[in-house]
Amino acid sequence: MILSQIISESDMLVPNDVPLVDKILWLNAVNQDFFNVVKIPKIAHFDCVAGQTDYVLPSEISQKNIDKVLVGSSQYRSLDREDVTPYQNAYTYADDTRTLSLFPAPYDALKGFLRYHRVATSNFVSTTLSVPPDAPDEYHWTFIPALAAMLANSQDDSVKASNYENQYKAAWNVAAQNYQAGAAQ
């Protein structure tokens, strides 16, 4: 499903005169919110070099979304956690440079494994309505009631807004449970 279809369907649910630019802004917010609720796990692999501490990772990874770091069979814990002691394997991640730093450095050439949660990477603009949301295809339909809820709120129709909000949030909660349990891959 693409943005123009989502907007068209939402406009049928809630007839309105809201400018297209505002709808696109709202869809950007919905796209971000989806990934705040639904934590879709992804994995990045990297090759460790003996004695090297820093590794540049893909740009879609951010520090707040890193869930687990393993090098070989050793787990590394974030230095941001208060319960990390100086004798544990630890890591830091710099969002600006996309650099993962491991302390201590791996002792041998090993495989690194990083699990993180997927985030929205698109920034929609009103000139490109033929792109889909970042969410998995099976959840694109949820953007229709999400946008409809915002449109209804803009018209002070709180009952209709609440109904649409409950509809998409229920679907997102089910999606979050499915990804957490590993049922949906």
Side-chain angles (χ1 to χ4, degrees):
M1 186 167 257
I2 59 175
L3 296 183
S4 60
Q5 293 170 316
I6 292 168
I7 292 169
S8 175
E9 296 284 331
S10 299
D11 286 344
M12 284 193 290
L13 294 175
V14 182
N16 64 83
D17 57 356
V18 174
L20 179 62
V21 173
D22 290 341
K23 293 174 188 174
I24 296 298
L25 286 173
W26 291 341
L27 283 171
N28 277 315
V30 170
N31 198 41
Q32 296 291 325
D33 286 346
F34 177 86
F35 291 100
N36 289 334
V37 175
V38 183
K39 305 293 185 188
I40 301 172
K42 291 193 78 174
I43 296 171
H45 296 277
F46 55 98
D47 291 322
C48 293
V49 177
Q52 180 179 330
T53 58
D54 295 337
Y55 301 90
V56 177
L57 299 177
S59 61
E60 68 180 8
I61 298 172
S62 66
Q63 192 275 333
K64 70 178 184 174
N65 291 329
I66 295 174
D67 182 59
K68 180 179 269 192
V69 176
L70 294 173
V71 175
S73 61
S74 300
Q75 183 166 348
Y76 283 70
R77 297 177 58 151
S78 174
L79 277 178
D80 293 338
R81 294 177 55 134
E82 293 179 13
D83 60 343
V84 176
T85 66
Y87 300 106
Q88 290 179 312
N89 293 336
Y91 73 88
T92 60
Y93 184 77
D95 283 332
D96 56 343
T97 62
R98 304 293 185 210
T99 302
L100 176 72
S101 299
L102 303 174
F103 309 102
Y107 58 87
D108 202 358
L110 300 167
K111 262 306 198 193
F113 166 91
L114 183 137
R115 185 173 66 195
Y116 62 101
H117 300 292
R118 187 172 156 201
V119 295
T121 56
S122 298
N123 189 23
F124 307 131
V125 292
S126 58
T127 56
T128 310
L129 299 178
S130 60
V131 297
D134 292 332
D137 292 346
E138 62 268 24
Y139 298 106
H140 288 179
W141 71 269
T142 63
F143 285 56
I144 296 167
L147 181 58
M150 292 176 172
L151 292 169
N153 270 329
S154 74
Q155 297 179 348
D156 295 328
D157 189 343
S158 59
V159 172
K160 192 179 276 190
S162 177
N163 286 337
Y164 290 131
E165 187 174 319
N166 290 339
Q167 189 178 34
Y168 80 84
K169 284 187 174 181
W172 287 3
N173 287 334
V174 169
Q177 290 172 354
N178 288 343
Y179 279 106
Q180 181 180 11
Q185 295 297 328

